[in-house]
C-alpha cells in the first residue's frame, strides 16, 4: 500500500556531471510525518565495483542497479529507481536513493521482531543486479554481488548504520570482495520498540 513506503514528496532532480560522465546524481528530498520508531530508513548512496566483479567480463550486462531485501517489501519498492551504465572497474556509481519503510502495522512489526530473533541471520541484503542491453529483451537481469547489514548487530550496539561503506561479495564466491557500497540503515528505534513490546507480551503471558 502507499502507506508502506514513504517516497519523496518533492520533485526529483537528476543531472549528469559532464566532467565525470560515469557518475549520475539524483537529489531527493522527503518529509516524513511518521514517528521515528514506526519507520525504518534504508538508503543506497554509492557503489564501486572492482576488476574482480564478473560484470566487466559479460557483454550481456550493460547497466547495474541495487535491490534491497527487507521484510516482505516487494523488490520494486526497495530498488534504486534507475540503472547506471557499468563503465570501467572502480567507477563510482552515485544513486543517492533513500526511502522510509513503515513498520507501523502488526504484520510488519512481527516481521521486524522476527528479524532479530535467535534463529534469524538478522541480515538486510543489498543485491547488485546487472541489467541486459535493451535490444536483448529475452535476457534476464543477473545478481552479481551482495552486501549485508546485520540488524542484530545494530540493535546490540544501539547504533544505526548511516552513510557507511560495506563490502560487496560475489554471488558465485562469497569470500571474494568485488566492490564497496555506501548505504544507510536507520532501524534501531524501531527495533527497540518491537523488542520492548515483545518483552511486555511475554511478561503478561507468564
Amino acid at each position: 500500500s502507499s502507506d508502506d513506503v514513504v517516497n519523496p514528496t518533492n520533485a526529483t532532480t537528476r543531472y549528469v556531471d559532464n566532467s565525470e560522465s560515469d557518475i549520475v546524481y539524483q537529489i531527493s528530498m522527503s518529509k516524513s510525518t511518521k514517528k521515528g520508531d514506526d519507520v525504518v530508513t534504508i538508503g543506497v548512496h554509492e557503489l564501486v565495483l572492482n576488476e574482480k566483479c564478473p560484470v566487466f567480463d559479460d557483454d550481456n550486462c550493460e547497466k547495474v542497479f541495487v535491490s534491497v531485501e527487507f521484510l516482505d517489501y516487494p523488490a520494486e519498492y526497495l530498488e534504486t529507481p534507475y540503472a547506471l551504465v557499468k563503465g570501467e572497474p572502480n567507477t563510482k556509481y552515485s544513486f543517492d536513493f533513500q526511502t522510509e519503510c513503515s513498520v507501523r502495522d502488526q504484520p510488519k512489526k512481527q516481521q521486524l521482531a522476527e528479524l532479530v530473533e535467535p534463529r534469524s541471520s538478522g541480515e538486510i541484503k543489498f543485491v547488485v543486479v546487472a541489467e541486459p542491453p535493451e535490444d536483448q529483451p529475452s535476457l534476464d537481469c543477473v545478481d552479481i554481488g551482495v552486501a549485508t547489514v546485520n540488524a542484530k548487530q545494530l540493535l546490540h550496539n544501539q547504533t544505526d548504520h548511516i552513510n557507511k561503506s560495506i563490502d560487496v561479495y560475489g554471488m558465485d564466491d562469497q569470500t571474494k570482495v568485488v566492490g564497496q557500497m555506501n548505504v544507510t540503515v536507520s532501524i534501531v528505534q524501531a527495533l527497540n520498540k518491537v523488542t520492548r513490546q515483545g518483552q511486555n507480551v511475554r511478561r503478561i503471558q507468564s
Side-chain angles (χ1 to χ4, degrees), residues 32 34-45 68 70-71 73 78 97-103 112 115 124 126 149-151 154-155 158-164 182-193:
S32 173
K34 296 179 186 286
K35 288 175 59 180
D37 57 5
D38 282 331
V39 297
V40 173
T41 301
I42 291 178
V44 179
H45 309 301
V68 186
F70 176 63
L71 305 186
Y73 278 101
L78 290 177
F97 164 71
Q98 186 161 299
T99 194
E100 293 180 338
C101 304
S102 170
V103 288
L112 194 63
L115 181 64
I124 299 168
F126 294 76
V149 172
N150 194 291
L154 299 184
L155 177 63
Q158 287 292 295
T159 306
D160 286 319
H161 185 105
I162 308 295
N163 280 43
K164 292 182 181 178
N182 185 281
V183 304
T184 285
V185 177
S186 180
I187 195 173
V188 171
Q189 274 189 276
L191 288 174
N192 284 338
K193 182 175 182 178

Side-chain angles (χ1 to χ4, degrees), residues 119-162:
R119 65 175 179 269
S120 168
S121 71
E123 290 184 344
I124 299 168
K125 293 184 178 181
F126 294 76
V127 182
V128 182
V129 186
E131 195 174 87
E134 291 182 6
D135 60 0
Q136 299 283 346
S138 62
L139 296 179
D140 294 325
C141 292
V142 179
D143 295 346
I144 56 171
V146 62
T148 61
V149 172
N150 194 291
K152 290 169 136 180
Q153 188 174 5
L154 299 184
L155 177 63
H156 176 75
N157 295 336
Q158 287 292 295
T159 306
D160 286 319
H161 185 105
I162 308 295

Side-chain angles (χ1 to χ4, degrees), residues 21-45:
S21 58
D22 56 342
I23 301 176
V24 177
Y25 301 81
Q26 181 183 38
I27 299 174
S28 300
M29 299 176 64
S30 61
K31 293 174 70 175
S32 173
T33 58
K34 296 179 186 286
K35 288 175 59 180
D37 57 5
D38 282 331
V39 297
V40 173
T41 301
I42 291 178
V44 179
H45 309 301

Side-chain angles (χ1 to χ4, degrees), residues 12-16 24-27 81-84:
T12 296
T13 304
R14 288 183 59 191
Y15 62 95
V16 177
V24 177
Y25 301 81
Q26 181 183 38
I27 299 174
Y82 52 84
L84 301 180

